[in-house]
Amino acid sequence: REREKEEEGIGNSAAMAYSDHSIAAHLPPIHLRGKEHIIQTGCGSVSVTVYGDQEKPPLITYPDLGLNHMSCFQGLFISPESASLLLHNFCIYHITPPGHELGAATISMDEPRNLCDGVYFSFFRLGSVMCMGAMAGAYILTLFSIKYSERVSGLILISPICRAASWNEWFYNKLMSTLLYYCGMCDILKELLIHRYFSKGVCGNFDVPESEMVRACRKLLDERDSINMRRYLQALDRRHDITKELETLECKTIIFVGDKSPFHDEALHMSTKLGKDCSTLVEVHPCGSMVTVEQPHAMLIPLEYFFKGFGLYRPCQFSDSPKSPLDSCCVDPKLLYPEQMGLKLRPIKTRVSPLQQCAIKS
């Protein structure tokens, strides 16, 4: 019961974090009740919580290091608009990384490739799937999509990584690994993880207190097993560069990244390698890595356009008939303005030929 209250607090705190920027919706909140399944993999037991009708197309989610689905994707489900969009079209399969659940046994893992297991297909008898991952979870699901390219229809990536750890990231990972070994989940380590997840605007300073969602995340990190966290972190630190493998990825992909995220350059690099024909990049300003928590409302319209390419839609509030995402009864006109969506749009640059330049000067 205490865990349920804490998870509920995470959801409430996420709502408070973006209440100043969101558009009011006169819809009742959606209460989710999922069923947990424990699946044995080569790395240990994995917890999968299923929400919705299993007859619908599956959406697999994977969180970042130290997080679970409640802390990483809850922002998308406390908003009735985004929750109706997702639950109307999908059955959600939230994966908790090995060793992250309460009372988990010690995991054995050499690198993230070990997590790309097709056991989910056979256990749940899944067909084609949609995947949504954040940071380390985005890397794992990208590997998953490369390995099972014929089974993955689309990718939703939040602040993804695709290259080997940089020297800067390697240093921070080494520091966190050392702190986990000697001090466990100490305050310094939690501070490093918090800045991995969130922007400075919600982390607070001497004048402004940190947001409720950051405080709730700190409490969640206290539950993590230090040994498992350290092994998972070391495995991520040994990840391989998958840039060349991205060229073989054929599924449609949409990338969300906060302009304050430490993985911002990684997301831009990944977007250029995937190409414009099958990928879309959405930069959210101002935001950290976890766009799903800081500014989930900024994801709504891009996700509607993305799902529209698969023949999916968000149900109308006033009738049961299918409606286009662009229908006036589905979209608040205020959301059509980039400033209201929290999006950062770059100016379009055009090239002028030398002959045109001479004509312009004359």
Side-chain angles (χ1 to χ4, degrees), residues 33-221:
R33 291 186 180 181
K35 182 178 181 181
E36 184 180 22
H37 303 265
I38 303 298
I39 303 177
Q40 295 299 325
T41 68
C43 301
S45 61
V46 174
S47 171
V48 181
T49 307
V50 181
Y51 294 95
D53 183 4
Q54 291 188 257
E55 297 297 324
K56 294 181 178 181
L59 172 65
I60 296 177
T61 70
Y62 212 110
D64 187 42
L65 168 74
L67 302 176
N68 58 17
H69 69 276
M70 294 298 295
S71 55
C72 197
F73 301 105
Q74 181 74 359
L76 289 175
F77 292 95
I78 58 177
S79 168
E81 291 184 322
S82 57
S84 64
L85 173 66
L86 295 173
L87 292 174
H88 181 82
N89 293 293
F90 301 102
C91 177
I92 315 295
Y93 294 80
H94 288 299
I95 299 175
T96 299
H100 278 52
E101 68 273 12
L102 287 173
T106 302
I107 62 174
S108 175
M109 181 170 55
D110 295 326
E111 58 172 309
R113 289 181 184 268
N114 297 346
L115 294 172
C116 301
D117 201 328
V119 67
Y120 310 111
F121 291 121
S122 57
F123 186 89
F124 294 106
R125 299 180 180 179
L126 301 179
S128 179
V129 302
M130 186 85 68
C131 297
M132 178 166 61
M135 292 164 282
Y139 179 85
I140 292 167
L141 288 183
T142 303
L143 283 175
F144 187 84
S145 303
I146 294 171
K147 186 175 181 180
Y148 301 97
S149 57
E150 72 284 354
R151 307 290 293 273
V152 178
S153 60
L155 273 175
I156 305 168
L157 305 177
I158 295 91
S159 302
I161 51 181
C162 64
R163 293 179 289 192
S166 63
W167 283 108
N168 189 46
E169 184 185 353
W170 177 87
F171 173 77
Y172 277 101
N173 289 349
K174 199 71 175 178
L175 176 59
M176 289 192 290
S177 180
T178 304
L179 290 172
L180 281 168
Y181 183 80
Y182 289 104
C183 308
M185 190 58 70
C186 59
D187 291 338
I188 299 177
L189 178 61
K190 285 188 283 188
E191 197 67 30
L192 292 173
L193 288 172
I194 289 297
H195 284 85
R196 173 189 175 96
Y197 305 146
F198 304 105
S199 64
K200 294 181 180 179
V202 297
C203 290
N205 49 46
F206 292 105
D207 300 324
V208 181
E210 65 181 13
S211 66
E212 289 290 334
M213 65 178 170
V214 175
R215 286 197 287 267
C217 190
R218 289 183 189 277
K219 294 180 181 179
L220 182 89
L221 291 173

Side-chain angles (χ1 to χ4, degrees), residues 131 138-157 160-162 242-255 270-271 273-279:
C131 297
Y139 179 85
I140 292 167
L141 288 183
T142 303
L143 283 175
F144 187 84
S145 303
I146 294 171
K147 186 175 181 180
Y148 301 97
S149 57
E150 72 284 354
R151 307 290 293 273
V152 178
S153 60
L155 273 175
I156 305 168
L157 305 177
I161 51 181
C162 64
I242 58 173
T243 298
K244 292 184 179 180
E245 297 174 81
L246 292 176
E247 298 176 358
T248 64
L249 200 61
E250 298 180 354
C251 64
K252 295 181 180 179
T253 306
I254 183 169
I255 299 174
M270 189 172 186
S271 176
K273 295 303 177 182
L274 287 172
K276 296 181 180 180
D277 295 335
C278 63
S279 69

Side-chain angles (χ1 to χ4, degrees), residues 263-335:
F263 306 110
H264 181 261
D265 290 340
E266 283 280 320
L268 295 180
H269 172 76
M270 189 172 186
S271 176
T272 56
K273 295 303 177 182
L274 287 172
K276 296 181 180 180
D277 295 335
C278 63
S279 69
T280 303
L281 174 67
V282 180
E283 295 181 74
V284 185
H285 173 81
C287 189
S289 297
M290 293 220 300
V291 183
T292 52
V293 177
E294 278 197 59
Q295 296 195 41
H297 59 283
M299 300 177 63
L300 179 61
I301 302 300
L303 280 179
E304 286 193 4
Y305 277 103
F306 182 68
F307 291 150
K308 186 181 179 183
F310 295 90
L312 306 174
Y313 63 93
R314 181 158 60 99
C316 181
Q317 305 172 16
F318 309 109
S319 69
D320 297 329
S321 60
K323 295 291 183 181
S324 165
L326 301 180
D327 194 285
S328 58
C329 70
C330 293
V331 180
D332 191 308
K334 295 180 180 179
L335 290 178

